[in-house]
Amino acid sequence: MIEVALSVILKAKPGKEKDVADFLRSALSVVEQEQGTRAWFALQFDESTFGVFDVFPDDDARQTHLSGGVGQALAAQGAELFSVEPNIQNIDVLAYKLPGESG
C-alpha cells in the first residue's frame, strides 16, 4: 500500500547541471537499499531544474528515507550543487497504480 509521497524540486547552480544529473543517477543505488521506498524517480524538467518523486507505505518510511543516505548527501553537497534550498513537499497519496498493485 502507498499512503504518502515526497516531491523535491532542485535548482542547479549555473555550470553544475551535469553534476546534479550525475548525483541523482548515483542516488539510485542508495534508494534501492531502502525497503520502505516503493517507487523513486529522478527527473529533469529543464536545463537547470531537477526533481525527485518517491512514494512510501507510511510516514515512518518517508522519514527514514529523508534521514537516509540520499538526504544526507543532499545536505552535504547542497551548497555546492544548488542555487536555492531544495523545495521538499510532503504529499498524501489518494490513489495509485504500480505494477502488481492497485490503490
Side-chain angles (χ1 to χ4, degrees):
M1 177 156 233
I2 304 295
E3 292 189 5
V4 297
L6 281 173
S7 171
V8 182
I9 303 297
L10 306 162
K11 294 291 282 182
K13 283 185 174 180
K16 294 291 185 175
E17 296 85 359
K18 182 183 180 314
D19 294 333
V20 171
D22 290 344
F23 170 82
L24 290 173
R25 286 185 188 101
S26 71
L28 177 60
S29 63
V30 175
V31 173
E32 287 178 329
Q33 306 303 311
E34 299 175 352
Q35 292 187 6
T37 303
R38 300 300 163 92
W40 182 87
F41 301 90
L43 312 165
Q44 185 168 5
F45 297 103
D46 60 35
E47 185 178 333
S48 63
T49 307
F50 296 82
V52 174
F53 182 79
D54 36 12
V55 298
F56 310 91
D58 54 39
D59 193 54
D60 287 343
R62 178 168 58 189
Q63 294 307 317
T64 297
H65 171 74
L66 283 170
S67 63
V70 176
Q72 291 175 5
L74 273 174
Q77 296 182 6
E80 176 188 334
L81 296 177
F82 308 118
S83 61
V84 296
E85 287 287 317
N87 180 353
I88 301 172
Q89 294 193 9
N90 290 329
I91 300 168
D92 291 330
V93 175
L94 301 177
Y96 64 92
K97 180 185 182 307
L98 292 174
E101 294 188 41
S102 64

